[in-house]
Amino acid sequence: MENISIRPARPDELAAVAGLRWEWLVENGSQDVGEPEDFVRHFVAWAGENVRTHRCTVVVRGDRVIGMAWLAVVQRVPTPRSPRRASGDLQCVYVVPEARDGGLGGRLVRAVLNGARELGLERVTVHSSSRAIPAYARSGFEESPRLLQVRLAPA
């Protein structure tokens, strides 16, 4: 049996997580992304600055980080019945190509959703590629006719 763990990322793993983000960008055709070393430094600093709002969950095989998913937690306007409200957005789900199609992505997403439940979040959204929609649907995500967006700047 494989030595796989799915758990919150540790601070000393953030450079490896940044490397996964870099791989994701390159794999999806991003060009002119600069130098990997600069990106890793920036990413690790960003993760440290945003630890209260962005939680990273990783898939680790042995001692190598091979997958990641981020949960961005957003505080919502209170109501009289719900004075403390929050929702989440699932971001940057990635598993290295050689570890795909074995269920690790689904396990990773379910781990993030379990963490969201523990935080008491009302809902979790995800912005997905059309290719990944079936995988998210298997984890309980459904389309919503009420979720709209306005694109304000190039992504």
Side-chain angles (χ1 to χ4, degrees):
M1 177 130 198
E2 277 189 289
N3 183 15
I4 296 284
S5 62
I6 299 176
R7 56 169 172 70
R10 297 188 309 241
D12 65 333
E13 294 170 324
L14 291 174
V17 171
L20 292 180
R21 179 65 172 146
W22 181 269
E23 287 180 40
W24 184 92
L25 292 167
V26 171
E27 182 179 321
N28 286 283
S30 292
Q31 298 175 3
D32 301 324
V33 290
E35 295 298 320
E37 298 80 15
D38 294 338
F39 177 74
V40 168
R41 274 192 302 281
H42 171 77
F43 189 99
V44 170
W46 173 88
E49 293 164 4
N50 292 282
V51 70
R52 292 177 54 108
T53 59
H54 289 72
R55 298 162 185 258
C56 183
T57 301
V58 291
V59 178
V60 180
R61 176 188 290 144
D63 60 356
R64 180 178 171 225
V65 177
I66 62 168
M68 66 170 176
W70 288 81
L71 178 66
V73 178
V74 178
Q75 297 302 310
R76 303 198 60 209
V77 176
T79 68
R81 291 190 179 163
S82 297
R84 301 204 184 279
R85 302 172 63 212
S87 62
D89 188 52
L90 181 61
Q91 302 176 348
C92 299
V93 178
Y94 182 79
V95 175
V96 295
E98 65 271 16
R100 292 181 190 158
D101 300 324
L104 287 178
R107 289 175 55 195
L108 177 59
V109 169
R110 286 189 296 279
V112 172
L113 292 177
N114 287 338
R117 283 184 194 92
E118 290 172 9
L119 291 171
L121 302 187
E122 291 180 4
R123 73 177 60 93
V124 174
T125 58
V126 65
H127 181 105
S128 178
S129 68
S130 57
R131 180 184 57 146
I133 289 173
Y136 291 118
R138 286 191 297 272
S139 292
F141 284 88
E142 4 179 272
E143 291 186 42
S144 169
R146 296 179 2 171
L147 185 61
L148 308 171
Q149 73 174 1
V150 171
R151 200 173 286 276
L152 300 174

